[in-house]
Amino acid sequence: MAKAKKGEETLKRPPPAAEQTAGAHPLTHRITDLTRRVRAVDTARPWIWDTAVTGFWLTAALIDVTSGGWQRIPHNNDDTPLWLVWVMSFGLTLPLYLRRRRPLTAMLLVLPFTILSAWTGAHLQASLLQMVFVFSIALRLRLRILVLILGAIVVPLVVGTSRYPVGSWDMQFVPMLYAFTIVALFGIAVRSRQEYTASLVERAKRLEVERDQQAQLAAAAERTRIAREMHDIIGHNLSVITGLADGGRYAAAKSPERAAEALDAISTTSRTALTELRRLLGVLREDTASVAGTGPWEPQSTPRAPQPALSDLDQLVDGVRAAGLPVRLIAQGRPQPLPPGQQLTVYRVIQEALTNTLKHAGPDATATVQLTHAPGSLTATVTDTGPPRKTPSPVGGRGIPGMCERTALYEGTLEAAPDPRGGWRVHLHLPVPKDTTP
C-alpha cells in the first residue's frame, strides 16, 4: 500500500527536469538533469566554482610570467620590473573570486592594475580578464552602472594609447572598445534570457497555484451542491415518513385499514427516496464501465430518471397530505415553458417549505401552495397556519440557505419569514427568460 501511494505521488508530480523537457530527446533529458545537478551544487557551495575559475586564470597568468611569454607580445615594454609584473598578475586575477557575488567591487579592484599595466606598457594578457568583469556586471547590475564601468574602462585605453602610440590611435583604441561593448551586449542578452525564463517559471507556478485553487473551489461548490441535494431528498422524505409513522401508530388500534394505508405510503415514500438517492449517487460516481468494462465485482449502472419538475408537484403535495398535513395547491396564470434547472429550483423550494411546515407548524396546521405564472416571471408562495415561529439562524441548518443558493443561481429572490397573518410564509420570485425550452 505504501509503495502504491508513493507511486501515485510520483505520477502526480514529476521531477522538475522531466517537467521542463517533456517530449524531448533522451539526451536532452540527461543534459538538463546534469545541468540541474551542477547548478544545485553551485548554489549550495558557490566557493568551489569561484575558487576553480580563479585558480585556473591565476595559474595561466603566472605561467605567462615565468615563461616570459608576456615579453614576446609585440610593442610590450620589456623594461618593466619583474616584481611589478608579478604584482599586476595577482591583482588582475585574484578579484575573479568576487566576480559573481560583488562584481562592481571586483571591477574596482582590477581597474587600478589595468591602468598600471597600460602605464608601464607591459600590456599583460591577464588585463583582458576585464571582459569577464564587464560580463558579470552586465549580467547582475543595473544598466547605469554598466555604462559608468564602460566609461571607466576607457581610461586605461586612453593611457596606453597616449604613452605608447603604435600607428594611428584608432587601431589601438577602437577595437578594444568594440570588444568590451560586444561583451556587455552579450551579458545583457543572457540576462534578458534568464529573466524571461524566470518569468515563465514563475508564471507556471502561479498558474499551478491558481489551478489548484480553482479545483478546491470547484470541489467546495460540488460538496455544497451535493449537501443541498441530500438535504432536500432525505430531509423531506424522512419528515413525510415520520408523519406517516406517527399517524399509523395512532390509527393501528382503531382503524387497521388506515394503519395499512400508512404503511403503504411509508413504503412508497421510502422507495421514492431511495430512487432519488441512487440517481444522485449514480451521477456522482465515475463511469468506470466505459473505461475498463463492467466486471463481476462492479455494480451495475443505476437507471437515471429526470430530476423533479413542476409536473411532479401534485405527487409531492399528495405525499405531504398522506403524512397528515392538509395542503391546497393553487395555480394562476398561463404556464410558461421553463428550463429544467428552474423547474427543479421551484420544486425544491416548495418541498423544503412543506417539510419545514411538517416539522415545525404543529398537528393542526394547514398549508397553501400558490403558483403564479406571469409574463417574464414565476412566483411561488407557500404559507401555513401554524403558530408564530422565530426566523431560524442561517448557521443552524441548510434549509433556508439552500433555498437562497438555488434561487440566486437564476437571479431570483426568496423571502422566508413569519407571516403577519400568522404562521410562516416563503415567497419565491424567478425571472423567466423569453426563449426557453422545457
Side-chain angles (χ1 to χ4, degrees):
M1 183 66 68
K3 292 182 179 179
K5 291 183 178 179
K6 184 176 180 181
E8 291 176 0
E9 293 177 357
T10 304
L11 290 176
K12 290 180 181 178
R13 185 172 296 278
E19 292 178 355
Q20 296 177 4
T21 60
H25 193 273
L27 180 61
T28 305
H29 283 284
R30 295 180 182 179
I31 295 176
T32 304
D33 183 66
L34 179 61
T35 304
R36 181 176 58 85
R37 294 175 184 272
V38 171
R39 287 179 178 176
V41 174
D42 185 42
T43 302
R45 300 176 181 85
W47 60 271
I48 297 178
W49 179 249
D50 293 337
T51 303
V53 172
T54 305
F56 174 80
W57 288 111
L58 178 61
T59 303
L62 296 182
I63 291 175
D64 187 41
V65 175
T66 55
S67 64
W70 66 278
Q71 295 176 337
R72 301 186 183 93
I73 298 177
H75 312 298
N76 265 14
N77 184 10
D78 298 339
D79 297 332
T80 306
L82 186 60
W83 65 270
L84 186 58
V85 175
W86 281 94
V87 170
M88 289 187 295
S89 298
F90 280 101
L92 292 171
T93 54
L94 288 179
L96 284 171
Y97 188 79
L98 302 175
R99 78 192 187 284
R100 292 197 297 176
R101 288 171 290 175
R102 298 179 180 179
L104 181 59
T105 302
M107 186 67 199
L108 293 178
L109 291 176
V110 167
L111 190 59
F113 295 97
T114 306
I115 297 175
L116 181 61
S117 176
W119 180 268
T120 59
H123 299 301
L124 298 180
Q125 298 183 55
S127 61
L128 297 177
L129 292 176
Q130 292 179 97
M131 296 184 181
V132 177
F133 298 102
V134 171
F135 177 82
S136 299
I137 292 175
L139 191 63
R140 293 174 174 85
L141 300 183
R142 292 178 295 178
L143 183 62
R144 184 176 61 181
I145 297 177
L146 176 62
V147 173
L148 294 177
I149 290 300
L150 290 177
I153 289 177
V154 175
V155 175
L157 295 179
V158 173
V159 171
T161 305
S162 301
R163 284 183 57 83
Y164 303 97
V166 180
S168 60
W169 67 272
D170 58 334
M171 294 179 59
Q172 294 179 268
F173 181 82
V174 175
M176 291 301 299
L177 185 61
Y178 279 168
F180 283 114
T181 303
I182 292 174
V183 169
L185 292 177
F186 180 67
I188 293 174
V190 174
R191 177 178 182 173
S192 301
R193 181 65 181 178
Q194 290 180 349
E195 291 177 350
Y196 176 70
T197 304
S199 66
L200 291 180
V201 173
E202 181 63 25
R203 182 173 180 268
K205 292 180 179 179
R206 186 170 63 253
L207 290 176
E208 184 178 358
V209 172
E210 293 177 358
R211 181 196 63 190
D212 295 340
Q213 291 177 347
Q214 291 294 334
Q216 293 175 1
L217 292 175
E222 186 66 14
R223 286 194 297 268
T224 302
R225 187 185 69 83
I226 294 172
R228 185 170 61 236
E229 293 288 342
M230 297 290 287
H231 172 272
D232 292 340
I233 295 172
I234 297 177
H236 170 74
N237 288 287
L238 286 181
S239 297
V240 173
I241 291 173
T242 301
L244 291 171
D246 291 340
R249 184 181 61 182
Y250 290 122
K254 299 180 180 180
S255 178
E257 294 81 5
R258 295 289 301 276
E261 293 176 359
L263 292 176
D264 291 338
I266 290 175
S267 177
T268 302
T269 304
S270 300
R271 289 192 181 93
T272 302
L274 287 175
T275 301
E276 293 189 11
L277 285 176
R278 288 195 186 99
R279 181 178 64 241
L280 178 60
L281 296 177
V283 172
L284 298 177
R285 187 181 59 194
E286 294 182 357
D287 191 8
T288 56
S290 62
V291 179
T294 302
W297 58 88
E298 296 175 348
Q300 299 296 327
S301 59
T302 303
R304 300 176 183 178
Q307 290 278 28
L310 294 182
S311 58
D312 299 313
L313 286 179
D314 292 333
Q315 182 180 356
L316 172 65
V317 171
D318 292 340
V320 175
R321 286 172 184 163
L325 176 64
V327 182
R328 184 175 59 167
L329 179 60
I330 302 174
Q332 297 179 348
R334 182 180 179 182
Q336 306 174 63
L338 295 177
Q342 284 191 330
Q343 295 191 42
L344 178 62
T345 297
V346 177
Y347 181 91
R348 292 301 188 195
V349 168
I350 296 175
Q351 182 186 53
E352 179 63 25
L354 293 177
T355 302
N356 291 336
T357 301
L358 274 173
K359 292 191 294 185
H360 305 296
D364 299 329
T366 62
T368 302
V369 178
Q370 181 174 350
L371 281 178
T372 303
H373 299 272
S377 66
L378 170 65
T379 59
T381 305
V382 182
T383 58
D384 62 60
T385 59
R389 305 191 297 272
K390 294 182 179 179
T391 303
S393 172
V395 183
R398 295 184 176 271
I400 294 180
M403 290 191 292
C404 293
E405 291 172 1
R406 289 183 182 276
T407 306
L409 290 176
Y410 297 97
E411 301 180 354
T413 58
L414 180 77
E415 299 177 4
D419 193 345
R421 297 172 296 181
W424 191 263
R425 177 177 179 270
V426 176
H427 180 73
L428 169 68
H429 178 271
L430 283 180
V432 177
K434 294 181 180 180
D435 296 328
T436 58
T437 57

